[in-house]
Amino acid sequence: MSNIPHHESGKLAILHTSDIHGTVLPYRYADQMPIEAGIAKISTAIKQLRRQYEETIYVDNGDLLQGTPLTYYHARMKSSLPNPLIACMNLLQPDAAVVGNHEFNYGITYLRQAMKESKFPWLSANLLDETNGEPIFGVPYMIKELSAGLKVGVLGLTTSYIPNWELPQHIVGIDFECVVRAAQRWVKVLREEEHVDLVVVSYHGGLERDMNSGELTEPDTGENEGYKLAAEVQGIDILLTGHQHRIIVNERIQGVVIAQPGSHGQGVGCIEVQMERVDEKWIVGAVCSKWIEVAGMTPDKHIIDQAAPIEAEVQVWLDQSIGQVEGDMKVTDAGQVRLSDHPLIEFINRVQMEYGQTTISNTALFDDTAPGFVGRITMRQVLANYIYANTLKVIRVTGQDIWDALEQTASYFDRTEQGSEHIRINEAYLYPKPQHYNYDMWEGIEYEIDISRAVGERITKLLVSSSGQQIDVHGTYDVAMNHYRAAGGGNYAMFTNKLTVLDVPTDIAELIADYIMQRGTIYATLNHNWRVVT
């Protein structure tokens, strides 16, 4: 009788996407120019990978249902129809999807309907029903049994920081458990009760520390806890991350394989896992991860055809004229918009002040591709300039809070002593993903940011516009802003838990469109109430 151990091997591929944000078709809605992104191209890549590997598991890591005019149009105007994102994803046949933070943007009823239409499970082990402490969407993990009896468990987790951003009515009844605590419980279940051979954790959240040094790379708020998951939870083999829109391949934290597949369907993450079976036990062998870029791939016609009927409606709706602008609100240089007052920013702030019934407001130029307004205005232009499903809030803050918020905004720039031609953006606002949306510009106050000074000492002038008086650090002021910022999002902790004076539960993009339609003509104005100096 031989004492030589029985040995087998098997290979599988873990395919993963994340942060698709409603991107289905390979063109921009703002100008219909082609882009190398979207589900139609992702589908082509996944089909190729499935032909390449006999055994695959495909997981989408969240933030699927929001982010484009297509998702906005469906949620706000045609929600009685089947969800086009779900219909397209059903064609891709994922093994599972994870609940992301933006899944809640259109409310839990909308999310539950999307889940009902899905031919795949939605996972989130740490989103709990407040009444019984069980996973509120019912499915904390999934198990897939492959050939030769190999069992793979996939545990889903969602960033627990959602209550700091989301509207309370969208998350009623949900307890957001710490992801580390949830993982410690459920990974143990997968190992000891389900007896899986490979544990994959798919976490809609990112990494709060440098993967090599372990040093914090952002404030330790709990928004991103991927490093802590890998370092503190025993039994994880592979950790899929997201939320930060990074591309991460071939990285490990204390032996745990770490990956992140970018965003908007620009590529597919692929982790090739060699499993070795010695006697009755499978062990993880060689692991190699890569990122498959979709650039140059032919979009899948089945996806295009699936989206075509509602997409045709969206295009008609986007090109409807809602008014016109007299003067120039065009954005020609996004960087310059953040250095001194600009008519587009002044206009958005005035809209917020109008609907918020206050005299002070802040907003951001969310993305460098924002076109501004010129001539005839369409919904396409409104949504290209205001890309997020934010609603409007007015909160009561102190003068000191405003001062602190401006100092936070001023940290967007690196210190310079060489003049305006050498102004640089602080790397913290560019890495791990661009955060231009966290640089606020205000109306109703007059202020100056001197970036030759140290961070925290850059506000050299701060007056109330209506009176011309120095702001009273002990006084209170009502400020209109989006609900993300009002909750302290973007490291604006000074706004957390402030009194809500007015809550307008309407998307700010809708308010902008309504403001334009009511007037027919809007005017480009510029009062130069703020500037950046060197």
Side-chain angles (χ1 to χ4, degrees), residues 50-103:
R50 282 175 170 154
R51 287 193 294 268
Q52 182 179 344
Y53 296 96
E54 287 186 16
E55 305 275 22
T56 61
I57 294 175
Y58 168 37
V59 181
D60 182 77
N61 193 46
D63 277 7
L64 172 69
L65 300 178
Q66 174 276 339
T68 58
L70 171 62
T71 61
Y72 182 93
Y73 181 80
H74 178 263
R76 296 301 187 214
M77 300 176 193
K78 292 297 176 76
S79 61
S80 61
L81 296 178
N83 191 303
L85 270 297
I86 298 301
C88 290
M89 288 300 286
N90 282 339
L91 292 176
L92 267 65
Q93 298 180 312
D95 292 282
V98 175
V99 180
N101 54 293
H102 282 286
E103 258 68 76

Side-chain angles (χ1 to χ4, degrees), residues 169-204:
Q169 60 267 34
H170 288 177
I171 53 175
V172 170
I174 303 177
D175 178 26
F176 292 82
E177 184 182 22
C178 163
V179 293
V180 174
R181 188 160 59 245
Q184 286 169 336
R185 178 168 74 256
W186 291 106
V187 168
K188 188 175 182 180
V189 169
L190 286 171
R191 289 290 186 190
E192 297 181 5
E193 297 180 24
E194 300 286 4
H195 303 292
V196 301
D197 303 297
L198 181 72
V199 171
V200 178
V201 172
S202 188
Y203 165 50
H204 189 83

Side-chain angles (χ1 to χ4, degrees), residues 362-411:
N362 66 51
T363 191
L365 185 69
F366 297 110
D367 188 89
D368 283 356
T369 62
F373 295 126
V374 59
R376 185 176 71 96
I377 300 174
T378 64
M379 275 303 300
R380 189 184 301 278
Q381 292 173 339
V382 171
L383 293 171
N385 284 302
Y386 208 102
I387 61 176
Y388 293 114
N390 290 330
T391 60
L392 183 65
K393 276 200 169 187
V394 177
I395 60 173
R396 185 159 293 161
V397 302
T398 66
Q400 186 65 56
D401 293 329
I402 293 175
W403 201 295
D404 292 344
L406 287 169
E407 290 288 4
Q408 173 65 30
T409 280
S411 69

Side-chain angles (χ1 to χ4, degrees), residues 229-506:
L229 277 169
E232 297 184 10
V233 180
Q234 297 298 310
I236 300 174
D237 295 306
I238 295 171
L239 177 62
L240 308 178
T241 62
H243 188 58
Q244 294 173 317
H245 299 190
R246 299 168 68 177
I247 298 169
I248 299 174
V249 295
N250 288 324
E251 294 284 356
R252 290 179 184 258
I253 296 173
Q254 297 189 20
V256 178
V257 175
I258 310 295
Q260 194 169 141
S263 66
H264 297 88
Q266 294 174 316
V268 180
C270 177
I271 304 174
E272 185 179 297
V273 185
Q274 189 76 30
M275 299 293 292
E276 308 291 343
R277 185 171 184 171
V278 179
D279 292 333
E280 297 302 312
K281 184 176 177 61
W282 285 100
I283 59 174
V284 180
V287 179
C288 175
S289 68
K290 55 188 174 181
W291 184 70
I292 313 299
E293 191 173 7
V294 301
M297 291 188 180
T298 302
D300 187 337
K301 186 175 184 299
H302 294 98
I303 300 294
I304 293 172
D305 290 346
Q306 178 66 57
I310 192 169
E311 179 66 18
E313 292 185 31
V314 172
Q315 293 298 331
V316 171
W317 170 69
L318 284 173
D319 286 329
Q320 291 175 352
S321 178
I322 61 171
Q324 63 181 358
V325 58
E326 190 169 299
D328 188 1
M329 283 192 195
K330 187 175 182 180
V331 174
T332 55
D333 184 335
Q336 287 299 314
V337 172
R338 299 185 182 99
L339 293 177
S340 62
D341 199 13
H342 186 277
L344 175 68
I345 302 303
E346 187 165 307
F347 168 71
I348 294 173
N349 272 320
R350 290 196 181 282
V351 171
Q352 292 187 170
M353 290 190 291
E354 171 84 11
Y355 290 95
Q357 303 169 37
T358 188
T359 58
I360 302 177
S361 171
N362 66 51
T363 191
L365 185 69
F366 297 110
D367 188 89
D368 283 356
T369 62
F373 295 126
V374 59
R376 185 176 71 96
I377 300 174
T378 64
M379 275 303 300
R380 189 184 301 278
Q381 292 173 339
V382 171
L383 293 171
N385 284 302
Y386 208 102
I387 61 176
Y388 293 114
N390 290 330
T391 60
L392 183 65
K393 276 200 169 187
V394 177
I395 60 173
R396 185 159 293 161
V397 302
T398 66
Q400 186 65 56
D401 293 329
I402 293 175
W403 201 295
D404 292 344
L406 287 169
E407 290 288 4
Q408 173 65 30
T409 280
S411 69
Y412 177 82
F413 299 103
D414 264 346
R415 186 172 183 175
T416 177
E417 297 174 356
Q418 298 174 296
S420 59
E421 68 272 17
H422 295 283
I423 292 174
R424 296 189 309 271
I425 300 172
N426 184 339
E427 284 192 3
Y429 286 82
L430 298 173
Y431 179 85
K433 69 174 181 179
Q435 296 179 47
H436 304 302
Y437 51 80
N438 283 329
Y439 177 81
D440 287 338
M441 293 161 280
W442 292 62
E443 192 66 33
I445 58 175
E446 298 176 19
Y447 63 97
E448 197 166 85
I449 299 173
D450 184 349
I451 58 176
S452 69
R453 298 164 65 102
V455 170
E457 301 174 0
R458 290 179 165 179
I459 306 306
T460 56
K461 170 187 175 183
L462 182 52
L463 309 176
V464 179
S465 297
S466 58
S467 65
Q469 299 297 309
Q470 177 86 10
I471 203 158
D472 179 0
V473 294
H474 301 294
T476 58
Y477 303 87
D478 294 348
V479 182
M481 62 186 75
N482 68 64
H483 76 272
Y484 170 79
R485 186 69 78 241
N491 300 321
Y492 285 81
M494 69 292 298
F495 295 148
T496 304
N497 298 322
K498 295 298 182 181
L499 174 68
T500 298
V501 177
L502 184 65
D503 186 352
V504 183
T506 304

Side-chain angles (χ1 to χ4, degrees), residues 113-130:
Q113 180 58 34
M115 290 178 170
K116 185 178 178 181
E117 295 172 18
S118 301
K119 296 179 180 178
F120 49 88
W122 286 79
L123 312 178
S124 191
N126 68 306
L127 302 186
L128 308 181
D129 188 324
E130 285 183 345

